[in-house]
Amino acid sequence: MLLITCPNCGSRDETEFHYGGQAHVAYPENPNELNDREWAEFLFYRENTKGTFAERWVHSTGCRQWFNMLRDTVTYDIQAVYPMGTPRPAAAVPPAAESGTASTAADSTTTGTAAPDAASSGTASTTAPEGATK
Amino acid sequence: MANTAALEGINGLRDIRRSPASHLAGALEAGSVEGTVVLKEGPFQTMAGVRVDPRSEAGSRIASVVGGLPARCGEVAGTERVSVLWLGPSEFLMVAPEEAHDSLGGDLIGSLVAALGDAPGQVVDLSANRTTFELAGPRARAVLEKGCALDLHPRSFTPGTAVNTEVGNIPVILLKPGEESYRIFPRASFADFLGRWLLDAMREFASPEVP
């Protein structure tokens, strides 16, 4: 469970929020001039970042306001919460993380070291069925 | 049934109005533990949802009607007659006794509509949208803490505050009028669920404490 700091309401449980996908996807200036591929890319193609990712969230059971968040998709560390319409703040400042607390920092380091283990065990599990089929 | 005094209804419709958890009245009374935690459904209330920019001219006109708008999350403004709950930066809920409704001789909705005028915003009569549960007693906080992740300790959730949050996984407005009392505003369709959920959470306090 993430503890998300809503700019209006303060720290609340993740269950009070809804995810809004990637932030900073600008609407095309002239949608009529796009071909089908460009339009499809605008509609459906999103980054699948491993690491710091800018995304939109809405505090749906609270103040019902949207905001942007910089979140690490590996460690779940929330690095910044900033209003809609403002540019993405400079990333990769882990020591001076805006909303980072001691507890989340500890979590991020533990999950960060656990991530490669999970990846290696994942490869091990994918090789195991191959051996089984042989 | 938690009705207020017999009020003159519109074409007699007031008399047949039924509160969303009226069918639970007996169960709520049976499940309450006097002196520990007591749950009952509150009376009908007049509620109006208002969306207006509080810094605008219309915002100050509305503030003068209801005696001020809350500025931030948790604050409750208003007067003896009506309390104003903060729902969002430009969204407020006015809660007043049933008599304040225009159809029963009051003027709350009408005066809010007049105060908003043509300015951007909205005033919506939400009197039937939510019901009220009144939970009180020394263990009321313990009951709520089973299903609310918010810090309900009096040091952070002080009397006279109201927040939009979740209790028992459903969205509610939680108002704390006194030290050991809470008012929970679920939407009408959740009244049955929340009533039964609270009864279940209260059940342990009916039996003697296991040391």
Side-chain angles (χ1 to χ4, degrees):
Chain A
M1 175 86 75
L2 292 177
L3 198 61
I4 298 174
T5 306
C6 168
N8 292 309
C9 307
S11 287
R12 298 292 181 91
D13 268 7
E14 181 189 351
T15 51
E16 295 193 6
F17 295 84
H18 272 100
Y19 182 67
Q22 182 182 344
H24 311 299
V25 180
Y27 192 79
E29 283 198 19
N30 294 310
N32 290 331
E33 292 174 8
L34 298 189
N35 61 32
D36 284 355
R37 173 157 194 93
E38 288 165 335
W39 182 245
E41 282 183 1
F42 162 68
L43 281 185
F44 305 117
Y45 282 54
R46 295 292 180 265
E47 300 290 327
N48 188 17
T49 310
K50 182 177 182 182
T52 305
F53 188 48
E55 51 198 20
R56 301 180 299 173
W57 287 79
V58 60
H59 192 192
S60 43
T61 47
C63 58
R64 307 204 288 182
Q65 303 296 305
W66 286 89
F67 58 92
N68 287 335
M69 193 159 98
L70 272 190
R71 184 178 63 95
D72 194 306
T73 55
V74 178
T75 63
Y76 288 85
D77 183 28
I78 297 169
Q79 297 173 357
V81 172
Y82 56 102
M84 302 295 286
T86 55
R88 175 181 167 143
V93 276
E98 195 175 299
S99 59
T101 60
S103 59
T104 54
D107 284 346
S108 64
T109 50
T110 50
T111 49
T113 51
D117 296 339
S120 61
S121 66
T123 52
S125 63
T126 47
T127 52
E130 283 173 15
T133 48
K134 281 174 193 168
Chain B
M1 176 136 153
N3 279 353
T4 51
L7 294 159
E8 192 73 22
I10 334 159
N11 305 327
L13 287 177
R14 174 61 185 78
D15 297 332
I16 58 170
R17 188 177 178 192
R18 212 158 39 83
S19 61
S22 56
H23 61 293
L24 289 178
L28 297 185
E29 201 177 337
S32 293
V33 189
E34 206 59 51
T36 306
V37 57
V38 173
L39 176 66
K40 58 176 194 273
E41 192 183 14
F44 291 126
Q45 287 180 300
T46 299
M47 299 191 198
V50 175
R51 296 200 78 146
V52 67
D53 182 356
R55 290 158 303 180
S56 67
E57 211 173 288
S60 50
R61 283 201 302 271
I62 286 192
S64 66
V65 169
V66 293
L69 294 175
R72 61 188 60 80
C73 178
E75 271 186 24
V76 178
T79 58
E80 294 280 310
R81 203 171 64 88
V82 51
S83 29
V84 186
L85 278 55
W86 188 96
L87 298 188
S90 60
E91 187 177 7
F92 309 95
L93 183 71
M94 320 288 177
V95 182
E98 192 186 8
E99 301 82 37
H101 197 277
D102 299 45
S103 67
L104 298 168
D107 66 339
L108 180 68
I109 314 276
S111 57
L112 286 172
V113 170
L116 182 66
D118 291 333
Q122 65 179 29
V123 175
V124 185
D125 181 3
L126 296 176
S127 303
N129 185 28
R130 295 175 185 271
T131 187
T132 314
F133 282 111
E134 292 176 346
L135 186 71
R139 307 312 295 271
R141 176 157 71 97
V143 169
L144 280 180
E145 277 172 347
K146 294 184 186 185
C148 181
L150 219 62
D151 184 4
L152 297 179
H153 192 280
R155 78 177 153 241
S156 67
F157 192 48
T158 51
T161 57
V163 289
N164 241 335
T165 184
E166 287 180 354
V167 171
N169 294 329
I170 63 157
V172 298
I173 300 171
L174 186 61
L175 170 68
K176 188 173 182 184
E179 279 296 339
E180 287 182 341
S181 60
Y182 298 88
R183 270 189 209 142
I184 312 162
F185 300 92
R187 289 185 200 277
S189 53
F190 282 120
D192 176 72
F193 173 85
L194 186 68
R196 293 178 196 278
W197 188 92
L198 286 169
L199 280 174
D200 184 48
M202 285 159 58
R203 201 162 54 166
E204 68 164 298
F205 300 110
S207 43
E209 195 169 342
V210 179

